[in-house]
Structure formats: structure tokens, C-alpha cells
Amino acid sequence: MKLIYLGTAAAEGVPAVFCNCPVCTEARRLKGKNLRTRAQVVFDGELSIDFPPDAYVHAALHDFDLSGIRYLLVTHSHMDHFYASDFVLRGGVYAHEMTSPTLEIFANAEVLEIYAEQTRREQQKEVKDAIRLHTIHPFERFSFGDYTVLSLAACHSSREPMLYYIEKDGKRVLHLHDSGPLPESTWQALGGLEGRLDLINFDCTFVHRETYAGARHMGLDENMRTFDRLAAMGLADERTKKVITHFSHNSYPTEEALLRAEREYGVIAAYDGMTLEI
Ligand SMILES: [Zn+2]
Ligand SMILES: [Zn+2]
Ligand SMILES: [Zn+2]
């Protein structure tokens, strides 16, 4: 399974949209890996987790074929994870020779309300008909193509936020953002899984900053506590890749800080356009 991390920032991006703090000013000056767009990760070119406002830029910058996405799993309704207006342009005169004529979107009811609102004025019938919508909730197991998914509950500040366990061809991935410390209900559901995880995507919004009580995101401290509990359950070991992503400018995600995280915690710090094979 091949993963591409197309966007690796928190909601406001790095540099943040309207920010002139030292981190954002430096990121604008240095460019390259220091520029981080809103979160999107794609499996084998066909399954995307989230569809941010920067998906268009991802396609242009990384020569990525957005029309190849057949399945879209949305974590939650925050604007950095779901930007539906672009789906007006998925077909008709706006898109020729699409790799996958159809798209299936799996999301909670609030996300699908946003989809309806953002597309209702301009989406033509043929475009609308090629997109199938599925309402899902936490703790549902469902399949599409070669994938099996278990939706999990997140601890986050939107309605019914979800995390995902994804299995394909014997490979297992746990996608854990956006979320603070995982809810006990999610730990219970994880207890029903078998086999070692090949990769975990961690919410690392806070990077080296402490994950405070009641937080709706995590830092490296909570990432490690989560990993240790998964390891104690037999779901993770030293071969499990630990990817950190969704960095905020408020947490100083400089190259130096992330190299230190890699050294000290054995994690892989994602950057825009990074690919990984598992
Ligand atoms: Zn987010
Ligand atoms: Zn800033
Ligand atoms: Zn969020």
C-alpha cells in the first residue's frame, strides 16, 4: 500500500492564512518543505482521507490525479478537512477523461449537510449523480473495493468526529486525527481488533508542547502514550510506522524541532508530498 501525505498542517496552514508570527514569516521566506497545506492523505491513489480547501493545490503541486480518488472518508466537518465546493467541478465541461467516473463519500450527517449546502447552487445533475453519499457513524464496519474500514470516535470539537482503522491486502493503518486523547469507547473497539498495525497517523498539532487536560488535539507526549497502550494490547510494535502530522504554527514545527522529534521518539514527521510504502 502506498500513502501520499498531500497536506500536513492544522486548519490555518503553515504559514497561516493571515499570520505574521515568526514561524509563518520564516516559512514564507524559506518555502520548500516549510510550506504546509491543510491535511489530506491518500492510499494507493484511490482512497482519500479528507478533502481540504488545498486539494486543488495538492493536485497541481504534486502532479496528483484527484479524479483517481474513488473513495473519500471524511473525519469531521471542520473547514480544513472538508471543502465541498470543488465537487461542483467533478465532471461535465469541467473535467474530461476522469480516471474514476464515480466517487463514493463516507461521512457523518453534518459533513453531508455541508456537501448539500456547498453544491446545491452550481452542481449539475450529471456531476451530482456520479457522486454517491453514505452516512456513517462511529463504530461501524464497512467495506468498499479492497478496503475494510472501522470508524472510531474521536475526542474533538465538531459533531460526531471520526477516526478510522483501514485494512487492505493484509495491511493495517490507524488514522488518528483530529483528536485529543482517545475516548474509552474507542479503546474498547480497538480491543476487538487483531494483528499488528503497519502504520499509525498521529494528530501532532502540539508537537513538543504538552497535551493539556481536555485537549482536542495531541502532541508527541500523548502520541507516545497512545502508542504504548496499543503496543500493550499487541496491536503495535517496533515495526509499526509512527507518522506525525497536522502541525500548527503555534507549536513551532520547524525542521529542527521535527528532526528532534524523529530522533527522540522514533517517529516520521510528515511533510507535504511525502510518500510511504507499507
Ligand atoms: Zn484539523
Ligand atoms: Zn503564524
Ligand atoms: Zn478539526
Side-chain angles (χ1 to χ4, degrees):
M1 193 144 66
K2 191 177 167 190
L3 284 78
I4 181 163
Y5 295 79
L6 292 166
T8 59
E12 63 275 35
V14 182
V17 189
F18 299 105
C19 186
N20 291 315
C21 79
V23 170
C24 292
T25 305
E26 193 65 353
R28 273 188 205 102
R29 189 178 71 79
L30 292 171
K31 300 188 172 58
K33 275 187 184 179
N34 297 282
L35 300 179
R36 294 177 182 277
T37 60
R38 273 65 72 87
Q40 182 177 23
V41 56
V42 181
F43 297 61
D44 285 339
E46 60 180 5
L47 163 60
S48 183
I49 301 191
D50 294 330
F51 195 90
D54 297 326
Y56 167 78
V57 170
H58 295 163
L61 279 185
H62 304 291
D63 189 19
F64 184 83
D65 175 15
L66 288 175
S67 84
I69 296 173
R70 288 164 203 277
Y71 315 109
L72 169 60
L73 283 174
V74 183
T75 55
H76 64 299
S77 57
H78 283 161
M79 56 73 67
D80 56 320
H81 294 261
F82 190 62
Y83 176 74
S85 298
D86 274 341
F87 293 118
V88 167
L89 308 173
R90 199 187 179 284
V93 296
Y94 306 111
H96 305 289
E97 299 178 46
M98 290 195 295
T99 304
S100 171
T102 59
L103 169 69
E104 309 218 24
I105 301 179
F106 301 83
N108 70 33
E110 184 168 67
V111 167
L112 296 182
E113 276 169 32
I114 291 170
Y115 177 86
E117 163 56 26
Q118 291 186 354
T119 58
R120 77 183 160 83
R121 292 174 205 83
E122 298 176 71
Q123 196 179 45
Q124 286 164 1
K125 190 179 182 314
E126 70 172 294
V127 175
K128 184 187 172 95
D129 289 350
I131 300 178
R132 287 194 284 270
L133 307 173
H134 306 269
T135 309
I136 56 165
H137 306 279
F139 310 117
E140 287 181 1
R141 203 178 253 280
F142 51 97
S143 300
F144 47 81
D146 299 325
Y147 300 86
T148 303
V149 174
L150 171 64
S151 55
L152 300 159
C155 173
H156 198 53
S157 48
S158 61
R159 215 200 303 164
E160 217 179 32
M162 281 182 274
L163 308 169
Y164 294 109
Y165 166 78
I166 297 160
E167 215 178 297
K168 183 197 182 192
D169 299 336
K171 299 290 181 187
R172 303 175 179 90
V173 175
L174 193 55
H175 183 85
L176 300 182
H177 72 83
D178 294 2
S179 184
L182 303 187
E184 276 310 309
S185 54
T186 288
W187 283 112
Q188 272 180 28
L190 288 168
L193 296 177
E194 278 174 26
R196 180 179 58 85
L197 293 161
D198 294 281
L199 185 147
I200 305 168
N201 289 326
F202 284 106
D203 183 324
C204 200
T205 304
F206 302 145
V207 194
H208 291 284
R209 289 162 62 215
E210 190 188 344
T211 306
Y212 52 89
R216 296 294 186 263
H217 289 289
M218 301 186 216
L220 283 155
D221 54 356
E222 188 60 30
N223 293 166
M224 290 307 117
R225 285 192 285 272
T226 306
F227 178 81
D228 289 346
R229 188 161 167 182
L230 289 165
M233 293 162 72
L235 291 174
D237 63 21
E238 68 287 349
R239 289 167 294 170
T240 303
K241 287 187 167 68
K242 304 186 282 271
V243 179
I244 55 170
T245 185
H246 199 274
F247 305 120
S248 161
H249 65 140
N250 293 320
S251 309
Y252 305 97
T254 58
E255 197 178 355
E256 184 273 325
L258 295 175
L259 283 172
R260 182 158 68 87
E262 292 188 327
R263 270 198 319 272
E264 290 178 7
Y265 299 94
V267 295
I268 299 166
Y271 56 88
D272 285 22
M274 181 180 87
T275 57
L276 275 181
E277 194 110 27
I278 53 168

